[in-house]
Amino acid sequence: MPDPDTPPRLLDLGDAALTVEFGTALDPALMARVLALEAALARARLPGVTETVPTFRSLTILYDPDQLPREALAARLADLLDSPAAAPTPGRRWRLPVCYGGEAGPDLASVAARCQLPQEAVIRLHAGTDFRVYMLGFLPGFPFLGDLPPALHLPRRPEPRLRVPAGSVAIATGLSAIYPWESPGGWHLIGHSPIPLFDASRAAPALLAPGDLVRFRPVSPAEATTIAADLARGRLAPDSFLETQP
């Protein structure tokens, strides 16, 4: 567990960005500190801050040094870090459909064998977990989801695939993820979700955000096909799978 009294480190990232590093672990307490600082910066509305980028253990602040010198930003960050942290806004809760196994999840059988579990147990464990979005990265809209049940912890594949289909639901180490785009990838593919995770035409292009909670709902191949068709024709919107929001 991270020590809440451990002072964060301030790291320069070039001449127009600072990273506030709270620790090195994957832990909800660290992520809460990251999101609390991001919320405090948003409320402060500092001239010159152009963007904030949260990860599971740090927050990077991009700024214009002509408007906000590095020393001024560092001093303001120190003030915000010394102030009592307001709780970050609770994340939204999503219920996303997933078709497990078969062509949709070609690694499900091997995952089950390596974990010494029936395939149905792998699905039950994965779909029965409330996953927290720790951060987005690797690809636009790619969510790093924790915390995977320990019984499903596996290292990455020894040889990555050159092409992982968009929508693939995967696991590796203590995390799960959904690939928003076709790309190379070395995680174990156990299912597929028809929900598009990134759309540049939306006000917020990435569907998921750090702090959100995601639970998966197993669906049949036929139901997954119907959902994909309804989304494509506008009969369903991705927000239809939002259960709660702040």
Side-chain angles (χ1 to χ4, degrees):
M1 292 290 291
D3 183 350
D5 297 323
T6 300
R9 296 201 305 159
L10 197 62
L11 307 171
D12 288 289
L13 193 64
D15 60 359
L18 281 176
T19 293
V20 182
E21 184 184 79
F22 289 95
T24 59
L26 184 71
D27 189 280
L30 285 182
M31 190 187 69
R33 295 175 71 186
V34 170
L35 297 182
L37 178 59
E38 185 177 44
L41 275 168
R43 291 190 297 269
R45 298 178 181 271
L46 299 182
V49 171
T50 59
E51 187 177 357
T52 54
V53 182
T55 76
F56 64 86
R57 62 187 181 89
S58 65
L59 181 70
T60 294
I61 301 100
L62 283 70
Y63 65 97
D64 181 348
D66 291 331
Q67 296 185 57
L68 183 64
R70 190 263 188 204
E71 293 76 13
L73 174 57
R76 193 67 182 95
L77 287 172
D79 291 340
L80 293 174
L81 290 167
D82 286 340
S83 302
T89 302
R92 301 163 297 174
R93 181 179 288 272
W94 299 84
R95 182 81 161 179
L96 301 182
V98 176
C99 180
Y100 287 97
E103 293 183 3
D107 293 331
L108 179 62
S110 63
V111 165
R114 292 182 63 181
C115 294
Q116 299 182 5
L117 292 168
Q119 293 185 39
E120 294 76 13
V122 173
I123 295 171
R124 186 169 60 252
L125 282 169
H126 190 265
T129 298
D130 283 327
F131 287 99
R132 188 182 305 272
V133 181
Y134 275 97
M135 60 176 283
L136 304 179
F138 173 56
L139 296 167
F142 184 103
F144 288 85
L145 306 172
D147 297 285
L148 188 70
L152 301 182
H153 285 202
L154 290 173
R156 295 175 186 238
R157 288 168 51 88
E159 293 186 7
R161 288 181 169 89
L162 294 179
R163 291 185 176 180
V164 172
S168 293
V169 176
I171 61 172
T173 61
L175 298 169
S176 188
I178 312 168
Y179 284 77
W181 307 88
E182 182 183 284
S183 74
W187 294 35
H188 305 275
L189 309 184
I190 62 171
H192 183 275
S193 178
I195 310 304
L197 294 190
F198 191 88
D199 183 346
S201 67
R202 294 193 299 245
L207 185 69
L208 305 179
D212 285 357
L213 293 175
V214 176
R215 183 174 277 249
F216 295 109
R217 179 175 69 88
V219 298
S220 67
E223 186 176 355
T225 298
T226 298
I227 291 171
D230 287 345
L231 286 164
R233 294 168 183 165
R235 292 198 292 255
L236 271 180
D239 287 351
S240 303
F241 301 91
L242 183 62
E243 290 191 331
T244 61
Q245 60 183 357

